Amino acid sequence: MGNYRGFGDSKFVPNVSKSKLQALVFAESLFEDKKERDFVELLWKECSEKLYTLSKEKLLLGFPPNGVTTYFSANMTEADAIVVKQFLKDNVSFDVLFISISHYSAYFFRILRLTIPAPLKIHPLGNT
Amino acid sequence: MIRFASILPTSSTEEREFLDKVQLKEVNGNKFRLERGDYAPLLELVNENLHLASKFASNQIEQEMLTKYIQHFRSGSLDAHMEGSRLWVQNKGPVIETYIGFIENYRDPAGQRAEFEGFVAMVNKEMSKKFNSLVENAPSFLPKLPWDRQFEKEKFSKPDFTSLDVLTFGSSGIPVGINIPNYDCIRDKGQFKNVSLGNVLTATESKPNFLSSDDADLLKKYSVASTEIVVGLHELLGHGSGRLLRRDENGQLNFDPVKTINPFTKKPVEKYYEYNETYDTKFGSLSSAMEECRAECVGLYLSLDSDVLRIFGFTEPKSVQDVIYVSWLSMVHKGIESLKMYNPEAKKWLQAHSQARYVITRVLLEGSKNLVKIEHIEKAEDGEFLLNNNHFSFELFFR
């Protein structure tokens, strides 16, 4: 959700072409070994498409189908968010310590199958 | 499924009260499952560094505060972060100010989930002194606002107001001012800090669009000072002034129905909030923009006051004139720039502050022919100008 303005929530794309950015990211001299290059390759594959896309539903943060959000899995709708709100309301107590569950640091999935995909494992670059 | 950010996995038996004590796991036939462990590898790094930072805590409160943050990131329990935030507020006037966690909910379309941020900043002692002076003198500035005393709270509660210079701010955007923590259960007890982030302004400065080179030079010279004045007034006397006229559940009015006169009809006010109504429920999607507009107007209006300007160090006539000019110029300038925050397809404003500034600009354009002029210029190279300095009459505004 990086390239959406913090002020206004609209998408911005790099002011250089994808091929130029790719050339910069993969400049040979930047890599110490193949492992590092493979890692960057993985990241590039994961995000380059998303970085540049200007398809209508990706232009603003919001609920699908009109927007994009990463606080909910892509198969969750605005109606689902209302159910989530109710669930939190039913369970949250601010009076007693240690029983408040909160939305602050939570990510919501709607499970369609029994197994859920594992999140992309990200290793900070410095530790590779 | 709800997955909380934490280092510990769901299977861990440690500190999992916040997951285990949830009894109701169904809403209208929708089943919920609670898990944790989101962002674990990243939060491990956070805690590693918070441990290192603990060694440099300057007092017992900071030490305990960091311990609570570490506990929060480890277990995912929000209570630990709330406790840490309480300690953070109690830690009054530190030279180095920090805050970390999932804080602001602007980017969640449901307005609930928060974005991760962490910042380190140093107190700007000189600027903080000016803000404190503004806080101290606030009760004498309030009566200058163009509405009756009846519309003000009986007593102005003085908040904590500090100016910080950011060393690092890890998030998708850096605000120019913050008012945290966001937890209502802490804020309701009057526990929060008002913080202005001074050097954010200078860091984001770039060559302004639309201005003549003279105006651009003036803006460059005074933008920091004028923004400090307007932002200070905006936060303190804008958001901090006024009160809602309401009737409580026993039918008691919180205002004098005879003395409280509607300035538009000159008759006693007839409408007020019922006990179950709030400003947000009444004004809905317009509420944020209107409240920001009110605060910006207060900032602009009081930026003309010589007592206010004296607090910020402006007494010499030429510099007084220039800093006022720049305060108004930059408001109109931001009003034009704010059009970027309008989505014509959805016919929607994307940002409350932008909508507010656009409205102010339109009012100034329509209100007086001699105040603001916008010209269409084919070649914008030598600049268009917004405010016509020659026609800008200061006397008009001084009372």
Side-chain angles (χ1 to χ4, degrees):
Chain A
M1 209 170 60
N3 55 332
Y4 289 82
R5 288 192 179 87
F7 194 85
D9 291 348
S10 57
K11 178 157 184 171
F12 60 90
V13 295
N15 202 9
V16 290
S17 69
K18 196 167 161 183
S19 56
K20 270 189 186 168
L21 185 66
Q22 187 167 11
L24 175 71
V25 169
F26 290 97
E28 274 313 319
S29 56
L30 292 177
F31 302 107
E32 285 195 356
D33 50 32
K34 188 173 177 303
K35 202 175 139 201
E36 207 172 87
R37 201 198 140 88
D38 288 349
F39 177 64
V40 173
E41 184 110 34
L42 180 84
L43 292 180
W44 179 259
K45 265 197 191 134
E46 178 64 26
C47 64
S48 59
E49 187 83 15
K50 291 176 187 165
L51 192 66
Y52 277 92
T53 180
L54 286 173
S55 64
K56 212 175 161 197
E57 72 282 5
K58 305 287 186 211
L59 292 180
L60 280 178
L61 293 181
F63 284 108
N66 302 317
V68 58
T69 179
T70 53
Y71 287 105
F72 299 89
S73 58
N75 55 10
M76 280 188 73
T77 62
E78 195 158 4
D80 294 330
I82 293 168
V83 177
V84 166
K85 211 174 224 176
Q86 189 57 46
F87 171 77
L88 289 168
K89 221 164 133 187
D90 289 351
N91 280 295
V92 169
S93 163
F94 280 116
D95 308 326
V96 191
L97 218 56
F98 296 123
I99 66 163
S100 67
I101 64 154
S102 159
H103 46 261
Y104 271 89
S105 59
Y107 177 33
F108 293 84
F109 294 90
R110 172 188 237 175
I111 304 174
L112 294 176
R113 291 192 207 112
L114 276 174
T115 50
I116 55 155
L120 177 73
K121 254 202 146 49
I122 295 179
H123 296 286
L125 263 178
N127 287 10
T128 52
Chain B
M1 184 179 90
I2 305 180
R3 190 159 69 197
F4 295 92
S6 73
I7 294 172
L8 291 173
T10 313
S11 56
S12 167
T13 52
E14 285 176 68
E15 294 184 61
R16 47 172 299 138
E17 291 89 342
F18 75 103
L19 295 177
D20 292 339
K21 292 216 174 167
V22 172
Q23 302 291 330
L24 301 160
K25 288 190 178 161
E26 210 174 305
V27 175
N28 308 332
N30 298 285
K31 289 196 175 71
F32 282 80
R33 197 169 94 201
L34 307 181
E35 292 199 354
R36 63 175 171 185
D38 216 10
Y39 299 114
L42 295 173
L43 291 176
E44 252 171 65
L45 281 175
V46 169
N47 270 6
E48 221 172 85
N49 285 285
L50 284 176
H51 274 295
L52 292 173
S54 305
K55 289 179 198 153
F56 298 95
S58 60
N59 58 42
Q60 187 68 29
I61 296 178
E62 283 182 7
Q63 186 77 51
E64 285 172 30
M65 176 182 90
L66 291 172
T67 308
K68 287 292 173 189
Y69 294 158
I70 289 169
Q71 189 192 340
H72 164 67
F73 294 131
R74 198 175 117 80
S75 70
S77 152
L78 187 78
D79 294 304
H81 197 267
M82 283 187 178
E83 278 301 299
S85 299
R86 265 194 204 97
L87 292 161
W88 181 75
V89 177
Q90 282 166 27
N91 189 28
K92 292 225 187 286
V95 180
I96 304 293
E97 189 69 280
T98 63
Y99 197 48
I100 193 164
F102 295 86
I103 314 296
E104 302 290 356
N105 60 11
Y106 304 128
R107 318 200 83 195
D108 173 14
Q112 296 205 304
R113 259 62 53 191
E115 183 178 15
F116 187 86
E117 73 175 45
F119 73 77
V120 179
M122 295 86 62
V123 170
N124 181 332
K125 288 186 177 168
E126 203 183 319
M127 202 58 223
S128 298
K129 223 165 94 185
K130 290 176 191 166
F131 280 149
N132 276 323
S133 175
L134 196 65
V135 171
E136 287 306 315
N137 289 293
S140 71
F141 294 139
L142 278 174
K144 298 189 183 200
L145 291 171
W147 51 74
D148 197 80
R149 179 85 199 86
Q150 301 293 333
F151 292 98
E152 281 303 335
K153 296 178 201 76
E154 277 173 33
K155 200 171 175 294
F156 180 78
S157 53
K158 294 177 180 172
D160 196 80
F161 204 173
T162 331
S163 177
L164 303 179
D165 282 332
V166 173
L167 177 68
T168 179
F169 200 115
S171 193
S172 67
I174 311 183
V176 291
I178 36 179
N179 189 313
I180 41 179
N182 287 327
Y183 306 120
D184 282 334
C185 58
I186 301 177
R187 300 176 63 85
D188 284 352
K189 290 175 185 136
Q191 294 187 326
F192 58 86
K193 286 184 187 175
N194 234 328
V195 170
S196 153
L197 302 172
N199 63 342
V200 172
L201 300 168
T202 40
T204 49
E205 214 180 348
S206 57
K207 195 177 176 298
N209 292 319
F210 311 129
L211 297 179
S212 68
S213 57
D214 285 355
D215 276 355
D217 287 347
L218 264 183
L219 186 71
K220 195 174 176 196
K221 191 171 170 197
Y222 288 101
S223 74
V224 173
S226 73
T227 309
E228 278 165 350
I229 295 168
V230 175
V231 169
L233 292 167
H234 170 117
E235 299 293 345
L236 186 67
L237 293 153
H239 292 312
S241 66
R243 64 165 174 167
L244 298 185
L245 306 180
R246 64 166 61 254
R247 181 159 67 176
D248 68 17
E249 42 194 317
N250 305 317
Q252 289 285 326
L253 297 172
N254 72 342
F255 62 97
D256 186 330
V258 182
K259 280 191 198 159
T260 313
I261 305 298
N262 180 337
F264 297 106
T265 61
K266 311 284 181 217
K267 288 179 189 147
V269 293
E270 288 163 344
K271 288 180 181 170
Y272 37 78
Y273 292 85
E274 295 296 343
Y275 78 94
N276 58 356
E277 291 174 341
T278 67
Y279 172 72
D280 288 327
T281 58
K282 272 318 239 191
F283 286 85
S285 58
L286 202 62
S287 62
S288 300
M290 196 154 100
E291 173 59 13
E292 292 307 331
C293 193
R294 189 176 78 90
E296 286 286 64
C297 287
V298 168
L300 210 50
Y301 187 77
L302 288 178
S303 72
L304 299 163
D305 189 278
S306 51
D307 294 330
V308 168
L309 292 172
R310 187 173 305 118
I311 287 176
F312 289 91
F314 290 94
T315 49
E316 188 266 314
K318 174 78 175 99
S319 71
V320 163
Q321 187 175 325
D322 284 347
V323 78
I324 292 174
Y325 180 73
V326 169
S327 294
W328 287 67
L329 175 72
S330 70
M331 182 63 74
V332 177
H333 188 237
K334 282 179 197 157
I336 304 295
E337 292 272 2
S338 71
L339 283 167
K340 283 187 219 157
M341 295 295 159
Y342 181 74
N343 184 327
E345 226 164 276
K347 292 194 165 52
K348 241 174 78 180
W349 282 93
L350 306 172
Q351 222 291 330
H353 295 81
S354 304
Q355 188 176 2
R357 289 162 191 156
Y358 178 73
V359 168
I360 292 170
T361 302
R362 287 299 297 259
V363 169
L364 292 178
L365 273 169
E366 288 164 21
S368 162
K369 286 202 164 55
N370 295 327
L371 184 62
V372 186
K373 207 163 92 189
I374 298 176
E375 286 176 346
H376 180 82
I377 295 172
E378 291 296 325
K379 267 194 159 180
E381 216 166 315
D382 202 24
E384 319 167 31
F385 57 115
L386 291 169
L387 264 180
N388 191 331
N389 207 357
N390 301 323
H391 292 139
F392 193 71
S393 160
F394 296 106
E395 290 77 18
L396 214 105
F397 293 94
F398 277 126
R399 281 171 305 148

